[in-house]
Amino acid sequence: MSSAFDYVIVGGGTAGLVVAARLSEDENVSVCVLEAGEDVTHTDEASIPGIAQKLWMQATNWGFSSAPQKHSEDKVIHLVRGKGLGGSSMANLMQLNRAPAREYDAFKKIGISGWNSAEFLKYFIKSQSLSYSAESTEELGLRPNEKEFGSGPIINTLSRHKTSYDNQWIQALEESGIPYNRNAMGGESLGAWVASLAVHPETAKRISSATAYYEPNKHRKNLTVITGAHVTRIQLNTSSGGNPVAEGVEYQKDGEKHVVSARKEVILAAGAFQTPQILELSGNRIATSIFQSGGQAEFDNSVEGIGQKSLLDEYDIPTIVDLPGVGENYRERISIPVILSDSDYNFHQRTIRLYYLAAAEYQKYMEKKEGMLTSVPGLYGFLPLSKLDGASSLKDYATDRQWDKIQDSIADLQKEWLSDDGVPQIEYIALPYFWPTVPKSARDEGKSYFSNTTILLHPFSRGAVHIKSSDPLAHPNIDLSALDNEFDFQALLKGLKLGRQIITGTQAFKDVVEKEVAPGPMGDSDEGLEKYLKTGLTTAFHPIGTAAMLKREDGGVVDERLRVYGVERLRVVDASILPFQVGAHIQATVYAVAEKAADLIKEDATSA
């Protein structure tokens, strides 16, 4: 195996495999992808949409956990991230919606040139195609705009399996003043709608970056993918006297250290948790003794790291590039579920053990590509702040406050969006699952459940992801800083109250729900509901921002071409570059970012 390539990509996840596939289109360019997980693409768990959660309980989940959240009674939140080819695209719920155009235009408003709604649309079209059947389109009354899709490998399809409460969901939201959206996949995501998923229309199998970008191209002689390769640092050459130059990558595989050299660029695509960790440890050379049986880790700090000098000093890592934004600006959506039991066990026949696969449904899937395993039948509701009780006081609080942890340009954006009924602030997801919660940690046998989860789409809280050890194999410290301000707490609380009302207080659901299981009686008082929120808090698994594309003086880590400030031949291409949350699930946006990044890399190679 060659140890030198033109491009070395760290991470074979959602973004990394897109970039690898596009760069290797040129047979004269050699590309190497280093992925810490394995190739599980053809396993049942990674192929069958309806059992996606099984991957969360295996080695295919990195198993990250947050630091105790001091504003949420020191709750530790488990954070699912996919480990293996495809990354989180092989373990998520496959949603493909886009944010409103004005949110992508906000990139330009905060001073990032070359990024706007037209540019994102260009790469949505390049990465995605549409495959709605005429029957489903007519049945659901959808009006998709085919001009917003191209012939890309990520195929948008509708769920083959529908719950019996699809219509009730839409009716309940309409009763609550939230209209039905007939083209949510086109970017205007407000309203009630049904999920559009990355599922193949013929095989009913999950579409991930591994199936869409790697599998069709893995035969290429100029594309090398190494799995089981845990990257420990980027090699930096400082001998020139100018900016340090990224020349290669060190990684561990099967207990041994390896090095690959990059003739042109190193591309970090390790995700919002590990991209900052690798940057901070890129000056930390790990000694071979760590891999000896029974040996203790020993480190040679003879070279430097990239990040906050004060933090690197704590671990005796000299700073080669003082880049305070590394690991900062961590943004995650916070969420809280409501669990309900059905009035009829046969209502939708979903056995809600996250690890359980009913034999009959498996046979139905394998033989006919039918049944509940063909998809994750999600029902959604996106609404602006004005739909919440007390929206005016929430807006006033956010507008009057000085947000010290947020860049002024982004704080101004978020304040502006609070008054814009075209920007969603609260999301509801109705899923036929039982989510363990504080008052109800396990399902009852013979009972069927579904949940309505409330998500705050644009929180003002800002966390951080940093090393907590100089050991590159240790997980970083992940602090969401969840609910660290009154706006986030009250907006999520009011969203939770409205979400409960939609299910338990509308005519549409009156014959559907047997009872509310969680919060149940705990939610009968304001004090009890507040405690439920703090102790039952989780996330939407959409981490971004830890290597933000911003001006360097504003805490940015990469420029508008995704080049790391102060380092030559090093880029970041993953969700960590997004400077703010957009009003959509982030998968489609990350695919678009990766497609654009590949074009930027090609352009720069041509002009060099």
Side-chain angles (χ1 to χ4, degrees), residues 43-279:
T43 63
D44 279 355
E45 291 85 351
S47 300
I48 301 175
I51 57 171
Q53 297 89 342
K54 290 185 72 174
L55 293 166
W56 302 1
M57 301 174 187
Q58 302 174 2
T60 44
N61 177 13
W62 276 97
F64 295 118
S65 294
S66 76
Q69 298 301 288
K70 64 181 181 180
H71 301 286
S72 302
E73 302 194 3
D74 289 330
K75 179 179 175 63
V76 173
I77 300 174
H78 299 295
L79 306 165
V80 176
R81 303 314 296 153
K83 183 180 181 181
L85 287 185
S88 292
S89 72
M90 63 89 177
N92 62 16
L93 299 185
M94 296 160 283
Q95 181 54 239
L96 285 172
N97 68 317
R98 310 169 187 176
R102 67 197 67 177
E103 296 194 44
Y104 295 118
D105 283 331
F107 282 74
K108 183 178 180 180
K109 291 181 71 173
I110 62 173
I112 302 171
S113 61
W115 297 77
N116 53 44
S117 61
E119 195 72 1
F120 271 97
L121 180 59
K122 172 183 173 181
Y123 289 104
F124 286 138
I125 291 171
K126 184 174 183 178
S127 61
Q128 294 186 38
S129 56
L130 186 68
S131 183
Y132 288 2
S133 70
E135 295 80 5
S136 294
T137 301
E138 182 177 355
E139 178 186 354
L140 294 168
L142 301 179
R143 297 170 186 164
N145 183 351
E146 295 187 2
K147 293 181 180 179
E148 295 169 337
F149 297 87
S151 56
I154 305 300
I155 307 174
N156 278 257
T157 59
L158 297 168
S159 174
R160 295 188 182 201
H161 176 69
K162 296 178 176 60
T163 68
S164 298
Y165 56 85
D166 280 23
N167 290 336
Q168 284 92 335
W169 173 256
I170 293 168
Q171 292 167 12
L173 265 70
E174 287 182 333
E175 280 186 55
S176 306
I178 303 166
Y180 182 47
N181 187 335
R182 300 179 186 276
N183 184 26
M185 294 308 106
E188 299 304 322
S189 55
L190 286 161
W193 42 273
V194 296
S196 185
L197 306 168
V199 175
H200 199 282
E202 297 175 4
T203 65
K205 291 183 178 181
R206 168 192 292 273
I207 296 172
S208 67
S209 64
T211 66
Y213 287 92
Y214 174 60
E215 284 287 317
N217 303 306
K218 66 181 181 180
H219 64 281
R220 292 175 180 168
K221 295 180 180 180
N222 61 332
L223 175 59
T224 299
V225 173
I226 304 174
T227 58
H230 191 125
V231 168
T232 54
R233 78 176 188 115
I234 299 165
Q235 288 190 325
L236 301 172
N237 186 337
T238 60
S239 62
S240 67
N243 287 338
V245 180
E247 292 190 341
V249 177
E250 291 184 7
Y251 67 94
Q252 174 192 351
K253 181 176 172 66
D254 299 328
E256 296 183 358
K257 186 178 73 172
H258 302 265
V259 176
V260 288
S261 298
R263 288 184 286 261
K264 294 187 176 182
E265 288 192 24
V266 173
I267 299 159
L268 259 179
F273 296 153
Q274 285 160 300
T275 283
Q277 179 185 27
I278 292 170
L279 287 171

Side-chain angles (χ1 to χ4, degrees), residues 352-409:
I352 317 299
R353 292 176 180 168
L354 298 183
Y355 55 85
Y356 181 73
L357 175 57
E361 285 293 334
Y362 181 78
Q363 184 176 6
K364 187 188 299 183
Y365 174 86
M366 295 302 291
E367 293 180 358
K368 299 181 180 180
K369 303 304 178 193
E370 296 177 352
M372 66 184 186
L373 300 185
T374 59
S375 65
V376 177
L379 301 167
Y380 292 80
F382 277 50
L383 54 147
L385 187 73
S386 62
K387 295 295 183 182
L388 298 183
D389 182 45
S392 179
S393 61
L394 282 172
K395 184 179 65 176
D396 290 344
Y397 171 85
T399 302
D400 294 340
R401 174 169 171 167
Q402 182 66 36
W403 297 95
D404 297 333
K405 294 170 64 176
I406 308 175
Q407 298 84 357
D408 289 344
S409 59

